[in-house]
């Protein structure tokens, strides 16, 4: 049986730290503030800078200071001060878990100070603040939109600071790691990592430790995501060491310590994780700790520590209050982690009712997060970004050509003009050629996809027709011929009893009645096999179990049936086709294999249904199974293909046959819906 391992939990919770790392507000009285005196703006700027250190330690005090700065800026008609004060309020409101109010403040910040020379940098910070609040509200499309708006500003603004570059690339990387389970071989993510590595080299040359903290924070998350945990923990330690040295905001250190503890928990090493969690809690600012997302998450992690140490009562005492705190601060996106640990804890403590409750809550949250929609969003955003990236590349090439033309004209006007024209013609020809090639590839790909879709649709229509005909025949057998046989059997039984009372009945007559009874039983079996009602009522798992049990009772074949994974109902057409595949494989075993034992295994994964049928029969010689249409293999392959699945057959003479089938549940659902 083939197994798949899903990606493990990481902490996308901490991407917002990119906005908090030693970034005190910088203010200038730009154009439009001419009526504001230097003394007024200096006092407002000083007040704004004074509020920054209190954002995590005393957010309520910081909010009052930003409100005071907003009032003074309005009185002085200081647009930059108004914008910066609203931005500060937005960040504090997000820390206080007031996300709607945070978004409203960020929108207000966009309306002022646009003629300030620092406007583009402040606009990037505003978009990141909005993206952060939209993320915690679960509005991932809006979150992605504002992150990419910030990235476009960074990449289109010359000489923008490394700090803002790191903030933009880091937030996009965090978004992808949260929405994408397999990033190791993704080309776009590798491009993001190249940008981050370039920033790291510049920071090393400039000996910018603050920037290195940001770089290492992104690297620890990246290496954990690709399960290189030693590298991830190395960068966690580097963030903690450098962060304390340069006195970054406490959240950076707390986040890295929690990331390190989760890394140990993924390796089932709770004793290594426990002191790190305790250290993270010590690093948190004391005020408002109960409303701090990091503190709540530390309680989740601590609960898992005690679960792995098998102290289930202690785990429950920690996790249940932590979940209440999470509900109070609307920390919905990460509550599934705590519900899962609580469910496993109650299972281990044999409290099945509570375990079932938390498994259900965990499932509900996971369903609401809907990874399919996230992935669709990711790829849509990726396409828009790549198109914009291509446009920027073309613009850079055109700028380079223009500069070369100007320099050549200054040196040799005539020769330069000829060479420039020739170069332009070649470039346009290459672009046209590449564009035509690209269009041809896209057209060929569309044609291939269309052929494939038509072929699958044809198969599905054929199979649907077969099932419709089976259903019709089953009804006619059961209601028509079955009713007739029942009437004949009843009439003959009456005649038999009548003759028997007269002493005229014979053994041949009794044998005829017995044969008629057996024919009725076989007819009912045939009708049920053609359209099994239990499949429609109970689903694939129970229908398969019942079918194998009937075969075992009626033949000299010992069938073991195993059902693994989370059994659930699947789309009706999907279940019916999978059931027919299992029926056909068992019938092949009965007809051709001469086997005494068989195994039927059905495994439910998140996105796959895996079916394995094995027997100890005579096997299939060589590769001749590809030509054995009489064994029904062609029909089975067509059914598998109609569900976008794969089939693998392993067999050798005298050693039995093993058939392994993978059916893609997600793809099948989309096909059925379409």
């Amino acid at each position: 049986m083939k197994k798949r391992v899903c990606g493990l939990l990481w902490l996308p919770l901490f991407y917002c730290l990119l906005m908090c790392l030693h970034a005190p507000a910088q203010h200038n009285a730009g154009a439009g503030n001419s009526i504001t005196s230097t003394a007024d703006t200096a006092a407002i700027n000083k007040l704004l800078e004074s509020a920054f250190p209190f954002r995590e330690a005393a957010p309520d005090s910081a909010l009052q200071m930003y409100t005071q700065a907003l009032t003074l800026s309005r009185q002085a008609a200081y647009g930059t001060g108004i914008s910066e004060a609203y931005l500060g309020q937005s960040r504090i409101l997000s820390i206080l878990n007031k996300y709607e109010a945070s978004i409203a403040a960020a929108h207000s910040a966009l309306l002022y100070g646009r003629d300030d020379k620092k406007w583009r940098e402040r606009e990037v910070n505003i978009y990141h603040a909005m993206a952060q609040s939209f993320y915690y509200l679960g509005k991932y499309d809006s979150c992605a939109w504002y992150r990419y708006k910030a990235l476009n500003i960074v990449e289109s603004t010359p000489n923008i600071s490394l700090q803002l570059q790191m903030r933009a690339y880091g937030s996009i990387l965090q978004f992808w790691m949260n929405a994408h389970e397999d990033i190791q071989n993704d080309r776009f993510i590798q491009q993001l990592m190249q940008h981050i590595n370039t920033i790291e080299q510049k920071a090393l040359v400039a000996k910018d430790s603050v920037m290195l903290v940001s770089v290492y924070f992104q690297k620890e998350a990246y290496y954990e995501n690709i399960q290189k945990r030693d590298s991830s923990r190395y960068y966690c330690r580097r963030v903690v060491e450098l962060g304390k040295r340069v006195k970054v905001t406490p959240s950076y250190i707390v986040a890295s310590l929690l990331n390190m503890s989760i890394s140990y928990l993924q390796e089932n090493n709770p004793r290594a994780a426990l002191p790190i969690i305790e250290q993270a809690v010590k690093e948190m600012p004391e005020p408002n700790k109960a409303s701090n997302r990091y503190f709540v998450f530390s309680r989740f992690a601590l609960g898992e520590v005690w679960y792995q140490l098998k102290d289930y009562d202690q785990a429950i005492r920690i996790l249940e209050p932590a979940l209440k705190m999470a509900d109070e601060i609307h920390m919905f996106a990460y509550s599934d982690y705590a519900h899962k640990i609580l469910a496993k804890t109650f299972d281990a403590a044999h409290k099945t009712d509570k375990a079932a409750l938390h498994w259900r809550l965990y499932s509900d949250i996971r369903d609401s997060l809907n990874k399919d929609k996230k992935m669709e969003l990711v790829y849509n955003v990726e396409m828009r970004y790549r198109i914009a990236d291509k446009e920027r590349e073309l613009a850079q090439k055109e700028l380079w050509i223009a500069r070369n033309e100007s320099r050549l004209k200054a040196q040799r006007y005539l020769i330069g003009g000829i060479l420039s024209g020739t170069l332009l013609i070649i470039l346009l020809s290459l672009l046209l050629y590449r564009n035509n090639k690209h269009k041809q590839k896209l057209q060929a790909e569309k044609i291939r996809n269309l052929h494939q879709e038509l072929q699958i649709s044809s198969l599905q229509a054929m199979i649907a027709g077969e099932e419709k005909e089976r259903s019709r025949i089953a009804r006619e057998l059961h209601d028509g011929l079955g009713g007739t046989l029942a009437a004949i059997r009843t009439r003959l039984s009456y005649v038999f009893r009548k003759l028997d009372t007269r002493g005229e009945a014979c053994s041949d007559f009794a044998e005829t009645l017995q044969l008629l009874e057996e024919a009725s039983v076989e007819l009912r079996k045939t009708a049920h096999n053609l359209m099994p009602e239990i499949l429609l009522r109970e689903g694939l798992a129970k229908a398969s179990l019942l079918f194998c049990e009937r075969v075992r009772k009626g033949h000299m074949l010992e069938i073991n049936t195993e059902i693994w994974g989370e059994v659930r109902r699947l789309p009706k057409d999907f279940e019916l086709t999978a059931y027919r595949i299992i029926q056909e494989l068992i019938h092949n075993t009965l007809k051709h294999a001469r086997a005494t034992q068989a195994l039927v295994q059905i495994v439910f994964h998140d996105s796959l249904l895996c079916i394995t049928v094995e027997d100890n029969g005579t096997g299939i010689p060589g590769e001749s199974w590809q030509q054995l249409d009489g064994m029904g293999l062609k029909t089975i392959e067509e059914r598998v293909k109609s569900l976008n699945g794969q089939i693998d057959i392993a067999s050798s003479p005298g050693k039995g046959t093993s058939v392994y089938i993978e059916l893609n549940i997600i793809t099948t659902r989309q096909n059925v819906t379409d």
Side-chain angles (χ1 to χ4, degrees):
M1 167 181 164
K2 298 182 181 178
K3 297 183 180 179
R4 295 188 175 210
V5 180
C6 297
L8 296 174
L9 174 68
W10 186 239
L11 302 178
L13 175 67
F14 306 118
Y15 85 90
C16 60
L17 296 176
L18 293 168
M19 301 172 55
C20 302
L21 178 61
H22 271 238
Q26 297 180 0
H27 312 279
N28 283 303
N33 296 327
S34 57
I35 64 173
T36 306
S37 68
T38 304
D40 289 340
T41 59
I44 293 170
N45 292 344
K46 186 174 182 180
L47 180 59
L48 289 167
E49 292 174 359
S50 300
F52 178 83
F54 296 96
R55 287 195 294 182
E56 289 190 17
D60 292 328
S61 299
L63 186 60
Q64 291 178 0
M65 296 171 73
Y66 282 124
T67 303
Q68 183 182 357
L70 177 61
T71 302
L72 294 175
S73 296
R74 288 188 178 280
Q75 293 173 355
Y78 180 29
T80 299
I82 295 173
S83 182
E84 289 282 2
Y86 272 129
L87 176 58
Q89 285 184 341
S90 175
R91 289 167 169 169
I92 297 299
L93 290 168
S94 178
I95 292 173
L96 295 174
N97 309 305
K98 299 177 181 179
Y99 304 120
E100 298 286 356
S102 173
I103 293 170
H107 274 296
S108 298
L110 288 171
L111 303 177
Y112 299 91
R114 287 180 171 270
D115 46 4
D116 177 17
K117 65 180 181 180
K118 294 287 186 180
W119 165 247
R120 298 300 282 175
E121 293 186 2
R122 186 165 63 255
E123 188 180 21
V124 171
N125 290 328
I126 293 171
Y127 287 146
H128 279 297
M130 295 171 73
Q132 173 188 348
S133 294
F134 278 120
Y135 178 82
Y136 288 119
L137 287 173
K139 298 180 179 179
Y140 301 111
D141 53 344
S142 298
C143 173
W145 171 256
Y146 285 107
R147 290 193 194 185
Y148 273 89
K149 280 179 71 73
L151 179 62
N152 286 332
I153 293 173
V154 166
E155 294 192 336
S156 61
T157 303
N159 302 319
I160 200 162
S161 68
L162 280 181
Q163 183 183 32
L164 288 181
Q165 292 180 42
M166 186 63 220
R167 189 171 300 168
Y169 292 125
S171 69
I172 297 297
L173 179 64
Q174 290 285 349
F175 175 79
W176 274 76
M177 288 192 295
N178 186 32
H180 199 328
E181 289 186 353
D182 183 15
I183 68 168
Q184 188 167 7
N185 300 313
D186 187 276
R187 184 168 61 88
F188 180 61
I189 291 181
Q190 296 310 312
Q191 290 175 358
L192 289 174
M193 288 304 299
Q194 288 176 8
H195 285 300
I196 291 174
N197 289 334
T198 300
I199 294 173
E200 179 183 12
Q201 294 304 315
K202 292 180 180 179
L204 288 170
V205 172
K207 297 182 179 180
D208 187 347
S209 297
V210 174
M211 184 57 59
L212 287 174
V213 171
S214 292
V215 172
Y216 294 157
F217 185 80
Q218 295 302 324
K219 286 196 165 186
E220 72 181 61
Y222 171 77
Y223 282 112
E224 177 64 22
N225 193 284
I226 64 175
Q227 299 186 18
K228 292 186 177 180
R229 295 199 170 91
D230 289 336
S231 298
S232 174
R233 290 194 285 265
Y234 166 78
Y235 284 111
C236 286
R237 295 186 189 97
R238 294 291 290 145
V239 170
V240 173
E241 294 168 4
L242 278 179
K244 288 185 176 181
R245 187 188 310 165
V246 298
K247 298 181 180 179
V248 298
T249 53
S251 296
Y252 253 89
I253 296 171
V254 171
S256 293
L257 289 170
L258 289 176
N259 289 346
M260 199 187 315
S261 69
I262 292 297
S263 177
Y264 280 118
L265 288 174
Q266 301 292 359
E267 295 178 343
N268 295 315
N269 189 354
R271 298 193 184 280
L274 180 58
I276 298 173
I277 297 172
E278 293 172 347
Q279 182 184 353
V281 174
K282 290 180 182 178
E283 297 289 343
M284 296 178 192
E286 285 299 323
N288 302 316
K289 185 173 286 189
S291 63
N292 188 309
R293 288 186 293 268
Y294 310 123
F295 176 75
V296 175
F297 199 90
S298 72
R299 305 300 291 174
F300 291 172
L302 190 59
E304 185 172 9
V305 166
W306 291 113
Y307 163 75
Q308 291 189 11
L309 290 173
K310 300 183 179 181
D311 190 341
Y312 305 127
D313 291 338
Q314 180 69 359
I316 294 168
R317 281 195 295 271
I318 291 172
L319 287 170
E320 287 185 329
L323 270 173
K324 291 181 181 178
M325 287 189 286
D327 290 339
E328 291 172 0
I329 65 175
H330 308 293
M331 194 173 161
F332 173 75
Y334 308 98
S335 298
D336 61 325
Y337 175 38
H339 283 300
K340 182 178 180 180
I341 300 303
L342 260 178
K344 292 164 69 175
T345 303
F346 281 125
D347 271 334
H350 305 294
K351 298 179 180 180
T352 55
D353 291 343
K354 291 188 175 181
L357 171 64
H358 286 283
W359 279 124
R360 181 178 59 80
L361 293 173
Y362 166 75
S363 178
D364 290 345
I365 294 173
R366 297 293 293 177
D367 289 343
S368 67
L369 295 178
N370 199 335
K371 280 191 173 291
D372 292 344
K373 292 184 179 178
K374 279 189 178 182
M375 289 307 299
E376 181 181 358
L377 167 66
V378 168
Y379 288 122
N380 288 338
V381 172
E382 175 193 8
M383 184 59 66
R384 284 190 293 174
Y385 176 74
R386 288 183 176 176
I387 291 173
D389 192 55
K390 290 296 182 183
E391 292 175 349
R392 284 194 296 272
E393 288 181 9
L394 289 175
Q396 290 173 355
K397 288 180 180 179
E398 290 174 357
L399 179 62
W400 178 79
I401 292 171
R403 288 175 178 174
N404 277 337
E405 287 178 350
S406 177
R407 187 168 56 251
L408 290 172
K409 285 179 182 179
Q411 296 175 356
R412 297 179 181 178
Y413 181 82
L414 182 60
I415 298 175
I418 296 173
L419 291 176
S420 299
T422 304
L423 180 61
L424 184 59
I425 292 172
I426 293 173
L427 179 60
L428 290 174
S429 299
L430 288 174
L431 289 175
L432 289 172
Y433 176 77
R434 188 175 66 173
N435 188 43
N436 289 333
K437 281 290 186 182
H438 183 61
K439 286 182 179 179
Q440 291 174 4
K441 287 183 179 178
L442 289 178
Q443 191 66 25
E445 184 65 25
K446 287 181 180 178
I447 292 172
R448 283 196 299 270
N449 290 339
L450 183 59
H451 281 310
Q452 186 176 7
E453 289 174 3
L454 288 173
Q455 189 176 11
I456 291 175
S457 297
S458 177
L459 288 173
Q460 290 176 340
M462 181 184 68
I463 292 171
E466 290 178 358
E467 295 301 337
K468 186 176 181 180
E469 184 64 15
R470 284 173 181 263
S471 179
R472 185 188 66 79
I473 294 172
R475 285 195 302 271
E476 290 183 359
L477 288 175
H478 188 275
D479 299 336
L481 186 57
T484 302
L485 285 176
I488 293 171
R489 188 175 68 252
T490 302
R491 184 61 181 168
L492 286 178
S493 296
Y494 171 75
V495 173
F496 179 77
R497 288 194 300 271
K498 186 176 179 181
L499 293 175
D500 191 42
T501 56
R502 298 177 182 176
E504 299 176 4
C506 64
S507 61
D508 291 340
F509 199 97
E511 185 179 352
T512 301
L513 280 176
Q514 180 62 31
L515 290 173
L516 187 60
E517 177 67 25
E518 292 176 0
S520 298
V521 171
E522 289 299 322
L523 180 64
R524 285 197 299 274
K525 286 183 180 179
T526 301
H528 284 298
N529 284 336
L530 284 171
M531 185 50 64
E533 293 181 3
I534 190 171
L535 178 66
L536 303 177
R537 294 197 313 270
E538 304 292 342
L540 178 63
K542 289 191 177 180
S544 299
L545 286 170
L546 181 59
F547 171 72
C548 292
E549 179 64 19
R550 286 176 176 171
V551 172
R552 187 182 66 80
K553 289 180 178 179
H555 299 82
M556 298 299 293
L557 179 65
E558 183 67 28
I559 301 181
N560 292 323
T561 308
E562 298 178 357
I563 308 295
W564 297 93
E566 182 182 351
V567 178
R568 60 192 184 276
R569 291 304 303 268
L570 302 174
K572 177 181 175 182
D573 292 348
F574 180 91
E575 288 190 331
L576 185 55
T577 302
Y579 181 76
R580 294 301 185 206
I581 291 171
I582 294 172
Q583 274 189 317
E584 191 67 32
L585 290 172
I586 294 299
H587 287 156
N588 278 349
T589 300
L590 293 172
K591 292 178 183 177
H592 306 288
R594 296 199 293 275
T596 59
Q597 292 183 342
L599 168 68
V600 176
Q601 186 181 77
I602 303 174
V603 183
F604 289 83
H605 294 288
D606 289 340
S607 60
L608 284 178
L609 180 72
C610 298
I611 299 171
T612 303
V613 177
E614 298 179 350
D615 64 63
N616 65 346
T618 57
I620 304 173
E623 297 295 326
S624 61
W625 62 269
Q626 295 178 347
Q627 287 79 37
L628 294 179
D629 293 344
M631 293 179 64
L633 292 175
K634 184 176 181 181
T635 302
I636 294 171
E637 288 179 338
E638 289 177 348
R639 291 183 184 275
V640 172
K641 189 174 182 180
S642 72
L643 297 182
N644 286 334
Q646 296 180 349
I647 182 169
D648 181 26
I649 302 176
S651 179
S652 59
K655 295 185 179 180
T657 302
S658 175
V659 180
Y660 175 79
I661 297 172
E662 282 187 357
L663 303 178
N664 192 316
I665 296 174
I666 295 176
T667 302
T668 303
R669 284 175 180 166
Q670 293 173 343
N671 289 339
V672 171
T673 302
D674 294 342

